Short mmCIF file of all heavy atoms in Angstrom, two decimals:
data_model
loop_
_atom_site.label_atom_id
_atom_site.label_comp_id
_atom_site.label_asym_id
_atom_site.label_seq_id
_atom_site.Cartn_x
_atom_site.Cartn_y
_atom_site.Cartn_z
N SER H 1070 150.47 152.19 150.52
CA SER H 1070 149.83 152.42 149.21
C SER H 1070 149.17 153.78 149.12
O SER H 1070 148.41 154.03 148.19
CB SER H 1070 148.79 151.33 148.96
OG SER H 1070 147.82 151.31 149.99
N TYR H 1071 149.45 154.67 150.08
CA TYR H 1071 148.79 155.97 150.05
C TYR H 1071 149.21 156.73 148.79
O TYR H 1071 150.38 156.96 148.54
CB TYR H 1071 149.14 156.79 151.29
CG TYR H 1071 148.16 157.88 151.58
CD1 TYR H 1071 147.08 157.68 152.43
CD2 TYR H 1071 148.28 159.13 150.98
CE1 TYR H 1071 146.16 158.68 152.69
CE2 TYR H 1071 147.36 160.14 151.23
CZ TYR H 1071 146.30 159.90 152.09
OH TYR H 1071 145.39 160.90 152.34
N GLY H 1072 148.23 157.09 147.97
CA GLY H 1072 148.51 157.76 146.72
C GLY H 1072 149.02 156.85 145.63
O GLY H 1072 149.48 157.32 144.58
N ASP H 1073 148.94 155.54 145.85
CA ASP H 1073 149.45 154.56 144.88
C ASP H 1073 148.38 153.51 144.61
O ASP H 1073 148.43 152.39 145.12
CB ASP H 1073 150.73 153.91 145.42
CG ASP H 1073 151.32 152.90 144.45
OD1 ASP H 1073 151.04 153.01 143.24
OD2 ASP H 1073 152.05 152.00 144.92
N PRO H 1074 147.36 153.84 143.80
CA PRO H 1074 146.28 152.89 143.52
C PRO H 1074 146.73 151.79 142.58
O PRO H 1074 147.78 151.89 141.94
CB PRO H 1074 145.21 153.77 142.87
CG PRO H 1074 146.00 154.83 142.18
CD PRO H 1074 147.18 155.11 143.08
N GLU H 1075 145.94 150.73 142.50
CA GLU H 1075 146.16 149.70 141.50
C GLU H 1075 145.37 150.07 140.25
O GLU H 1075 144.15 150.28 140.31
CB GLU H 1075 145.71 148.33 142.02
CG GLU H 1075 145.95 147.18 141.08
CD GLU H 1075 147.42 146.85 140.88
OE1 GLU H 1075 148.28 147.46 141.55
OE2 GLU H 1075 147.71 145.97 140.04
N ILE H 1076 146.06 150.16 139.12
CA ILE H 1076 145.45 150.57 137.86
C ILE H 1076 145.69 149.48 136.84
O ILE H 1076 146.85 149.12 136.58
CB ILE H 1076 146.02 151.91 137.37
CG1 ILE H 1076 145.82 153.00 138.43
CG2 ILE H 1076 145.35 152.33 136.06
CD1 ILE H 1076 146.48 154.32 138.09
N VAL H 1077 144.63 148.94 136.26
CA VAL H 1077 144.75 147.88 135.26
C VAL H 1077 143.88 148.22 134.05
O VAL H 1077 142.93 149.00 134.15
CB VAL H 1077 144.33 146.51 135.84
CG1 VAL H 1077 145.21 146.12 137.02
CG2 VAL H 1077 142.87 146.52 136.27
N GLU H 1078 144.22 147.61 132.93
CA GLU H 1078 143.43 147.79 131.73
C GLU H 1078 142.51 146.58 131.55
O GLU H 1078 142.94 145.44 131.68
CB GLU H 1078 144.32 147.97 130.51
CG GLU H 1078 145.12 149.27 130.53
CD GLU H 1078 144.25 150.51 130.66
OE1 GLU H 1078 143.22 150.57 129.94
OE2 GLU H 1078 144.57 151.38 131.48
N TYR H 1079 141.28 146.85 131.27
CA TYR H 1079 140.24 145.82 131.15
C TYR H 1079 139.80 145.68 129.70
O TYR H 1079 139.68 146.67 128.96
CB TYR H 1079 139.04 146.20 132.02
CG TYR H 1079 137.74 145.53 131.65
CD1 TYR H 1079 137.38 144.30 132.20
CD2 TYR H 1079 136.86 146.12 130.74
CE1 TYR H 1079 136.18 143.69 131.86
CE2 TYR H 1079 135.66 145.53 130.40
CZ TYR H 1079 135.33 144.31 130.96
OH TYR H 1079 134.14 143.71 130.61
N SER H 1080 139.54 144.45 129.29
CA SER H 1080 138.90 144.16 128.01
C SER H 1080 137.76 143.19 128.26
O SER H 1080 137.91 142.23 129.04
CB SER H 1080 139.89 143.54 127.02
OG SER H 1080 140.89 144.47 126.67
N PRO H 1081 136.62 143.39 127.65
CA PRO H 1081 135.46 142.52 127.92
C PRO H 1081 135.70 141.11 127.40
O PRO H 1081 136.37 140.93 126.38
CB PRO H 1081 134.31 143.21 127.19
CG PRO H 1081 134.97 144.04 126.14
CD PRO H 1081 136.28 144.47 126.70
N PRO H 1082 135.14 140.11 128.08
CA PRO H 1082 135.28 138.73 127.61
C PRO H 1082 134.47 138.51 126.34
O PRO H 1082 133.42 139.14 126.14
CB PRO H 1082 134.74 137.91 128.78
CG PRO H 1082 133.74 138.82 129.43
CD PRO H 1082 134.32 140.20 129.30
N THR H 1083 134.92 137.61 125.54
CA THR H 1083 134.23 137.31 124.28
C THR H 1083 133.70 135.88 124.23
O THR H 1083 133.21 135.45 123.18
CB THR H 1083 135.18 137.54 123.09
OG1 THR H 1083 136.35 136.72 123.26
CG2 THR H 1083 135.60 139.00 123.01
N ASP H 1084 133.82 135.16 125.37
CA ASP H 1084 133.41 133.76 125.39
C ASP H 1084 132.16 133.52 126.22
O ASP H 1084 131.90 132.41 126.66
CB ASP H 1084 134.56 132.87 125.90
CG ASP H 1084 135.11 133.34 127.24
OD1 ASP H 1084 134.70 134.43 127.70
OD2 ASP H 1084 135.95 132.63 127.81
N CYS H 1085 131.38 134.58 126.45
CA CYS H 1085 130.11 134.45 127.18
C CYS H 1085 129.00 135.11 126.40
O CYS H 1085 128.24 135.94 126.91
CB CYS H 1085 130.23 135.06 128.58
SG CYS H 1085 130.94 133.96 129.80
N GLY H 1086 128.91 134.78 125.13
CA GLY H 1086 127.91 135.40 124.28
C GLY H 1086 128.40 136.73 123.74
O GLY H 1086 129.54 137.15 123.99
N ALA H 1087 127.55 137.41 123.03
CA ALA H 1087 127.91 138.70 122.46
C ALA H 1087 128.24 139.70 123.57
O ALA H 1087 127.57 139.74 124.61
CB ALA H 1087 126.77 139.23 121.60
N VAL H 1088 129.29 140.48 123.36
CA VAL H 1088 129.70 141.46 124.36
C VAL H 1088 128.55 142.43 124.64
O VAL H 1088 127.95 142.99 123.72
CB VAL H 1088 130.95 142.23 123.87
CG1 VAL H 1088 131.25 143.40 124.79
CG2 VAL H 1088 132.14 141.29 123.78
N GLY H 1089 128.23 142.59 125.93
CA GLY H 1089 127.17 143.51 126.34
C GLY H 1089 125.79 142.89 126.41
O GLY H 1089 124.86 143.52 126.89
N SER H 1090 125.68 141.62 125.96
CA SER H 1090 124.36 140.96 125.96
C SER H 1090 124.13 140.14 127.21
O SER H 1090 123.18 139.37 127.29
CB SER H 1090 124.23 140.05 124.73
OG SER H 1090 125.12 138.93 124.84
N TRP H 1091 124.98 140.29 128.21
CA TRP H 1091 124.94 139.43 129.39
C TRP H 1091 123.64 139.61 130.18
O TRP H 1091 123.03 140.67 130.22
CB TRP H 1091 126.13 139.74 130.28
CG TRP H 1091 127.44 139.71 129.54
CD1 TRP H 1091 127.99 138.64 128.88
CD2 TRP H 1091 128.34 140.80 129.34
NE1 TRP H 1091 129.19 138.99 128.31
CE2 TRP H 1091 129.43 140.31 128.57
CE3 TRP H 1091 128.37 142.14 129.74
CZ2 TRP H 1091 130.51 141.12 128.20
CZ3 TRP H 1091 129.42 142.95 129.38
CH2 TRP H 1091 130.48 142.43 128.61
N ALA H 1092 123.27 138.53 130.87
CA ALA H 1092 122.11 138.57 131.75
C ALA H 1092 122.44 139.19 133.10
O ALA H 1092 121.57 139.75 133.77
CB ALA H 1092 121.56 137.16 131.96
N ALA H 1093 123.72 139.10 133.49
CA ALA H 1093 124.16 139.65 134.77
C ALA H 1093 125.67 139.71 134.79
O ALA H 1093 126.35 138.97 134.06
CB ALA H 1093 123.65 138.82 135.95
N VAL H 1094 126.20 140.60 135.64
CA VAL H 1094 127.64 140.69 135.89
C VAL H 1094 127.83 140.92 137.38
O VAL H 1094 127.12 141.73 138.00
CB VAL H 1094 128.29 141.85 135.10
CG1 VAL H 1094 129.80 141.91 135.38
CG2 VAL H 1094 128.03 141.73 133.61
N THR H 1095 128.78 140.19 137.98
CA THR H 1095 129.09 140.38 139.40
C THR H 1095 130.59 140.58 139.59
O THR H 1095 131.40 140.14 138.77
CB THR H 1095 128.65 139.18 140.26
OG1 THR H 1095 129.34 138.00 139.81
CG2 THR H 1095 127.15 138.96 140.17
N LEU H 1096 130.95 141.24 140.68
CA LEU H 1096 132.34 141.36 141.11
C LEU H 1096 132.50 140.62 142.42
O LEU H 1096 131.64 140.70 143.31
CB LEU H 1096 132.73 142.83 141.30
CG LEU H 1096 132.81 143.70 140.05
CD1 LEU H 1096 133.16 145.14 140.44
CD2 LEU H 1096 133.82 143.16 139.06
N ASN H 1097 133.61 139.89 142.55
CA ASN H 1097 133.92 139.16 143.78
C ASN H 1097 135.24 139.68 144.32
O ASN H 1097 136.28 139.60 143.67
CB ASN H 1097 134.01 137.66 143.49
CG ASN H 1097 134.40 136.88 144.74
OD1 ASN H 1097 135.58 136.77 145.05
ND2 ASN H 1097 133.42 136.36 145.44
N PHE H 1098 135.19 140.25 145.53
CA PHE H 1098 136.36 140.88 146.15
C PHE H 1098 136.73 140.10 147.41
O PHE H 1098 135.92 139.95 148.32
CB PHE H 1098 136.02 142.32 146.51
CG PHE H 1098 137.18 143.16 146.97
CD1 PHE H 1098 138.38 143.17 146.27
CD2 PHE H 1098 137.06 143.96 148.09
CE1 PHE H 1098 139.44 143.97 146.68
CE2 PHE H 1098 138.11 144.76 148.52
CZ PHE H 1098 139.30 144.77 147.81
N THR H 1099 137.96 139.59 147.44
CA THR H 1099 138.46 138.82 148.58
C THR H 1099 139.68 139.51 149.16
O THR H 1099 140.59 139.91 148.41
CB THR H 1099 138.81 137.38 148.18
OG1 THR H 1099 137.64 136.73 147.69
CG2 THR H 1099 139.34 136.59 149.37
N VAL H 1100 139.71 139.64 150.49
CA VAL H 1100 140.80 140.35 151.16
C VAL H 1100 141.24 139.56 152.38
O VAL H 1100 140.40 139.03 153.12
CB VAL H 1100 140.37 141.77 151.59
CG1 VAL H 1100 141.57 142.54 152.13
CG2 VAL H 1100 139.72 142.52 150.45
N THR H 1101 142.54 139.49 152.59
CA THR H 1101 143.10 138.93 153.83
C THR H 1101 144.05 139.95 154.44
O THR H 1101 144.65 140.77 153.74
CB THR H 1101 143.86 137.62 153.57
OG1 THR H 1101 144.96 137.88 152.68
CG2 THR H 1101 142.96 136.57 152.97
N SER H 1102 144.17 139.91 155.77
CA SER H 1102 145.07 140.82 156.47
C SER H 1102 145.34 140.28 157.85
O SER H 1102 144.52 139.55 158.42
CB SER H 1102 144.46 142.23 156.56
OG SER H 1102 145.35 143.13 157.19
N ASN H 1103 146.50 140.61 158.38
CA ASN H 1103 146.79 140.28 159.78
C ASN H 1103 147.67 141.37 160.36
O ASN H 1103 148.37 142.09 159.64
CB ASN H 1103 147.45 138.91 159.90
CG ASN H 1103 148.83 138.87 159.30
OD1 ASN H 1103 148.98 138.81 158.07
ND2 ASN H 1103 149.87 138.91 160.13
#
Side-chain angles (χ1 to χ4, degrees):
S1070 57
Y1071 201 92
D1073 181 23
E1075 182 68 5
I1076 303 174
V1077 299
E1078 293 303 315
Y1079 160 89
S1080 294
T1083 57
D1084 53 352
C1085 276
V1088 171
S1090 69
W1091 308 299
V1094 180
T1095 61
L1096 292 178
N1097 177 275
F1098 189 48
T1099 299
V1100 187
T1101 61
S1102 182
N1103 67 283

